[in-house]
Amino acid sequence: MSGVGPVEPGEGTRAWDTPQPPDPHRDPDSLDSPDAQSPTPFSRALARLTRFHSAHRRAVLAALAAALLLAGGGYLYATRPHDAEPAAPAPPFPSQTVDVSYLGEIAVPPGTRPRTFAFEVLLSVDSGPPVTLTRLAQPYAGLTLTSAPSAPFRTEEGAARKIVVTMHVTECGKAPRNVGLPFLDVTLRNARAIQDHSFILGPRYAHDLSEALQVACGNESA
């Protein structure tokens, strides 16, 4: 029996390559992998951008953390309780800033009732707030006192005011004859306090007051 068998490969013929299964352990990105491709310019730029971002991200985060720390410190400083401003010093007492000095005896106007005499004093305010004189008096029984200007009146810092003090003997028996240290009683008021104070006007005032009383009363008692 004759027939045709399989044709044997001869010269000029080759067998088809049988496909091999992929190796699961092969790195698809390796250069010897059939799937590997040469990097393109776009992929290289993307890689550089990724590395730049990764390198600078830490610097940006550090700068942001520093900014947040500064902002938090500023907020804490602004909101923490600060020491109160020192209070302004209290103004001085009025008696510490006022001076009353004796200027001398003056003549009373014609027609003034008998046993009346007058003196002139100077009130000055050296410093501090304005001072108001609310009362002017003398301590002796048998004498009355009036002033021009009449109380109350106000004197500013650095100013001085002349005051005419007029006295009238109402009862010679109660009026002193030889006055040693005569004084005037005043009540002073400023922004700090109200004070009663006595000003001793010195030996000239004592001499003039004693003479005026002797002239007013002589050797008689009224």
Side-chain angles (χ1 to χ4, degrees), residues 30-66:
S30 62
L31 294 176
D32 55 352
S33 171
D35 297 330
Q37 298 178 354
S38 299
T40 64
F42 174 77
S43 62
R44 288 195 297 270
L46 181 61
R48 284 196 298 270
L49 181 61
T50 302
R51 289 193 298 271
F52 177 83
H53 175 73
S54 177
H56 289 78
R57 181 173 58 183
R58 290 189 295 271
V60 172
L61 291 177
L64 180 59

Side-chain angles (χ1 to χ4, degrees), residues 3-217:
V4 179
V7 178
E8 295 292 334
E11 186 178 354
T13 65
R14 63 184 182 86
W16 294 98
D17 292 336
T18 303
Q20 298 296 325
D23 186 353
H25 301 290
R26 180 185 297 274
D27 185 359
D29 295 331
S30 62
L31 294 176
D32 55 352
S33 171
D35 297 330
Q37 298 178 354
S38 299
T40 64
F42 174 77
S43 62
R44 288 195 297 270
L46 181 61
R48 284 196 298 270
L49 181 61
T50 302
R51 289 193 298 271
F52 177 83
H53 175 73
S54 177
H56 289 78
R57 181 173 58 183
R58 290 189 295 271
V60 172
L61 291 177
L64 180 59
L68 291 176
L69 182 61
L70 288 175
Y75 174 78
L76 290 177
Y77 178 81
T79 56
R80 72 178 178 86
H82 296 280
D83 295 335
E85 293 293 331
F93 288 98
S95 62
Q96 297 174 328
T97 65
V98 170
D99 181 66
V100 176
S101 56
Y102 179 65
L103 297 180
E105 187 176 7
I106 62 173
V108 295
T112 303
R113 57 184 173 170
R115 298 178 180 175
T116 300
F117 47 90
F119 306 101
E120 195 172 52
V121 298
L122 182 70
L123 182 145
S124 58
V125 178
D126 297 331
S127 61
V131 176
T132 299
L133 187 146
T134 62
R135 182 183 67 94
L136 181 63
Q138 55 81 38
Y140 305 111
L143 293 177
T144 61
L145 179 150
T146 58
S147 68
S150 59
F153 56 85
R154 172 176 167 142
T155 306
E156 303 287 334
E157 174 187 6
R161 184 188 296 267
K162 288 183 179 181
I163 306 170
V164 175
V165 178
T166 301
M167 295 186 185
H168 174 70
V169 180
T170 58
E171 191 174 348
C172 285
K174 294 182 180 181
R177 295 301 177 92
N178 295 310
V179 183
L181 291 174
F183 54 88
L184 292 178
D185 293 325
V186 299
T187 300
L188 304 171
R189 182 182 74 234
N190 72 354
R192 174 73 181 273
I194 299 176
Q195 285 185 299
D196 293 323
H197 194 74
S198 297
F199 286 94
I200 298 174
L201 301 183
R204 283 183 58 220
Y205 175 62
H207 176 268
D208 291 350
L209 178 60
S210 295
E211 278 199 350
L213 290 171
Q214 289 175 5
V215 170
C217 293

